[in-house]
Amino acid sequence: MTTRIAMWSGPRNLSTAMMRSFGSRDDTFVSDEPFYGCFLKDTGADHPMRDEIMAAMDCEWPSVMTTLRSDPPNGAPIWYQKHMWHHMTGPIGYADFEGFTHAFLIREPQRMIASYLRQREVAAFEDFGMDRQAEFFDRECDRLGHPPPVVDANDVLADPEGVLAELCAAVGIPWDPSMLNWAPGRRDTDGPWAPYWYAAVESSTGFGQPETEDVKLPAEARGVAEACRPYYDHLAMHRILPGG
């Protein structure tokens, strides 16, 4: 029986490095933002490489969900799925993920938005899906009777082994030290948007150093960060702590 781990985050949350980490396990298959094409078709959003992404992906919501519920392509016992809640604009919702194990990846809003603005000219609250992420988190809390696992990107950088070992325990899989290192380069499982977004992770061989520098945002972006802050704080109260 396949353990399907749905990791929910926003953009620029260390999500691709986390996918690299899980993809370094011999027992795990990874999927990279499988609903991105559906989102682009549904919304008409003007994202980098829009046409290439839609041409390369299944852009039909029901068939993508059917695929994610089927056996992984290589028969792996663990299927790690990197998801973005701001992509979930179509008919697929919480109830469609019955039987999945959910986890949540967050990042301090100022740092998340500053990273986003290094790739895009402007940032809007809707680009990060944090309200949807918090709603989904609360639903999982109610279903489980306790909070599902939450990891903060900077906590992972501060203590990769400690935080990831706790995360593995929380999602019911064994800890594997291979999650700490990986070979550089692109993967066949990377999304077709990799040429635009993945330069840093393609040159990496493991997690970097924790972020300590102050972040300054332009005025409009500060407003977006302030709007994101309550949702971040809500999940951050339940996060796996370094050294914990």
Side-chain angles (χ1 to χ4, degrees):
M1 184 175 181
T2 302
T3 297
R4 291 174 175 79
I5 301 169
M7 176 63 84
W8 296 96
S9 75
R12 315 311 288 174
N13 278 16
L14 203 74
S15 57
T16 308
M18 288 287 286
M19 182 177 69
R20 282 286 186 276
S21 175
F22 276 85
S24 69
R25 300 173 60 113
D26 290 337
D27 60 359
T28 301
F29 181 78
V30 300
S31 288
D32 192 5
E33 302 179 31
F35 289 106
Y36 195 2
C38 301
F39 162 79
L40 293 174
K41 181 180 178 181
D42 188 56
T43 64
D46 185 18
H47 280 206
M49 300 186 65
R50 169 188 165 83
D51 292 342
E52 295 93 332
I53 293 167
M54 291 183 62
M57 299 188 74
D58 182 350
C59 297
E60 301 300 326
W61 298 96
S63 60
V64 173
M65 193 71 243
T66 296
T67 297
L68 297 177
R69 298 188 65 89
S70 63
D71 294 332
N74 66 350
I78 300 169
W79 191 347
Y80 180 90
Q81 301 172 7
K82 171 190 168 191
H83 290 295
M84 301 279 163
W85 251 117
H86 69 284
H87 289 168
M88 306 306 291
T89 57
I92 302 301
Y94 178 79
D96 294 291
F97 288 90
E98 182 179 357
F100 286 61
T101 299
H102 299 284
F104 297 80
L105 177 63
I106 59 175
R107 187 182 187 186
E108 197 277 331
Q110 277 87 345
R111 299 187 187 283
M112 174 182 69
I113 293 167
S115 177
Y116 188 83
L117 289 175
R118 287 194 282 271
Q119 299 292 117
R120 305 294 306 274
E121 292 184 0
V122 296
F125 176 75
E126 294 76 17
D127 293 326
F128 302 98
M130 295 194 69
D131 52 342
R132 298 288 303 278
Q133 188 181 37
E135 176 191 6
F136 195 98
F137 174 82
D138 288 342
R139 286 175 175 260
E140 271 295 279
C141 286
D142 290 342
R143 184 182 72 85
L144 296 171
H146 58 81
V150 178
V151 289
D152 185 288
N154 214 36
D155 292 338
V156 175
L157 297 177
D159 182 13
E161 181 170 358
V163 172
L164 292 176
E166 290 287 337
L167 173 61
C168 288
V171 298
I173 64 174
W175 162 243
D176 187 337
S178 69
M179 295 176 69
L180 298 175
N181 302 103
W182 51 82
R186 195 166 296 172
R187 306 289 191 269
D188 291 341
T189 49
D190 288 349
W193 51 89
Y196 187 88
W197 290 102
Y198 288 1
V201 79
E202 286 175 8
S203 65
S204 71
T205 58
F207 292 102
Q209 296 301 307
E211 299 172 312
T212 58
E213 74 282 0
D214 292 333
V215 174
K216 294 183 179 180
L217 295 173
E220 185 175 350
R222 288 199 299 271
V224 177
E226 290 170 4
C228 291
R229 170 63 64 177
Y231 303 104
Y232 168 83
D233 289 344
H234 179 54
L235 270 69
M237 290 189 299
H238 304 285
R239 73 189 195 274
I240 297 169
L241 295 173

